[in-house]
Amino acid sequence: MFEHLGTVDTCDFSESMCWTVVRPHQARLTIDDVIRRLGGNAATVTTRRPVEVGYDDDAVFLEQRDDAVITVRYSVNNDEEDVLQRLSQDATVHEVFWVINNFNRLYYAVDGVVVTELDVLRPQERWGADPDALAGHLDALRDLRDREHGPWPDWETAMATVESLTGLRLDTDWFDRPQMFAMLSSR
């Protein structure tokens, strides 16, 4: 997938990406609900192909998958504690992001609480209300860390970890298909 994204002139997701899965506990969560939780205006939603939109901190792509909503952004503004709290109200949030300098995180938040936060390249470094809550799901990341030459940016493994936690996945063609699109207000 990253090889494909790296060949698209306007798409920078191979260098910086934030992928979030928000799943409500009971009532269906909609794209409009998630946009509001992100501080955006649901009335501004359009449809765009992610590969056609260059890097923009305020851009967000969204897709409804049954009761869950997935978002894909360049920006890592979702990692701010207040945003994670809003996104995870009456819901579970799994999120992974990275930026070009290899700063990254994987989050697991429930009901406004960051349960687990970890550095994808150093999965032994974990924080949150229950740092070990995801310990049984981190084998691939630990294997990556334990390789002879140490950790390398392997965002595919980070995404696969979120896939295993949520049962949802982003295929390469997801970025080529029209998705719901909104611009969020910068803070």
Side-chain angles (χ1 to χ4, degrees):
M1 173 172 75
F2 292 98
E3 294 80 16
H4 168 69
L5 293 177
T7 64
V8 179
D9 289 336
T10 59
C11 185
D12 297 316
F13 284 119
S14 61
E15 295 179 354
S16 180
M17 187 169 131
C18 179
W19 176 38
T20 308
V21 177
V22 184
R23 180 165 279 134
H25 297 314
Q26 294 178 13
R28 179 181 166 95
L29 190 67
T30 66
I31 287 175
D32 290 354
D33 296 329
V34 171
I35 289 173
R36 280 190 289 279
R37 290 180 183 197
L38 290 171
N41 181 347
T44 65
V45 174
T46 61
T47 303
R48 304 272 307 265
R49 291 178 51 222
V51 295
E52 296 174 341
V53 177
Y55 188 97
D56 190 326
D57 283 343
D58 297 330
V60 61
F61 296 91
L62 306 103
E63 181 185 358
Q64 184 84 49
R65 296 236 188 130
D66 297 322
D67 65 335
V69 174
I70 61 172
T71 71
V72 174
R73 301 179 67 182
Y74 287 113
S75 171
V76 296
N77 292 341
N78 285 9
D79 77 319
E80 296 174 12
E81 189 171 344
D82 64 318
V83 177
L84 286 169
Q85 288 173 342
R86 286 194 314 268
L87 281 176
S88 67
Q89 285 298 352
D90 299 316
T92 298
V93 170
H94 291 92
E95 175 176 283
V96 64
F97 79 80
W98 59 86
V99 293
I100 194 165
N101 66 359
N102 293 337
F103 178 66
N104 68 83
R105 286 293 181 267
L106 190 148
Y107 290 101
Y108 168 49
V110 180
D111 292 328
V113 176
V114 176
V115 178
T116 305
E117 171 185 350
L118 63 98
D119 182 319
V120 171
L121 300 177
R122 293 171 189 81
Q124 72 279 6
E125 296 179 20
R126 298 188 293 268
W127 312 271
D130 183 359
D132 295 326
L134 300 180
H137 300 275
L138 303 177
D139 290 342
L141 292 174
R142 280 191 292 266
D143 289 347
L144 177 65
R145 173 71 182 123
D146 293 340
R147 289 185 186 164
E148 183 177 335
H149 299 289
W152 302 105
D154 186 344
W155 309 130
E156 295 93 335
T157 302
M159 291 184 74
T161 301
V162 172
E163 290 171 10
S164 74
L165 291 164
T166 65
L168 299 176
R169 130 176 259 225
L170 291 177
D171 295 317
T172 302
D173 64 348
W174 188 91
F175 296 87
D176 292 317
R177 293 191 315 264
Q179 305 294 340
M180 301 303 287
F181 173 80
M183 292 297 290
L184 304 174
S185 300
S186 294
R187 295 182 176 198

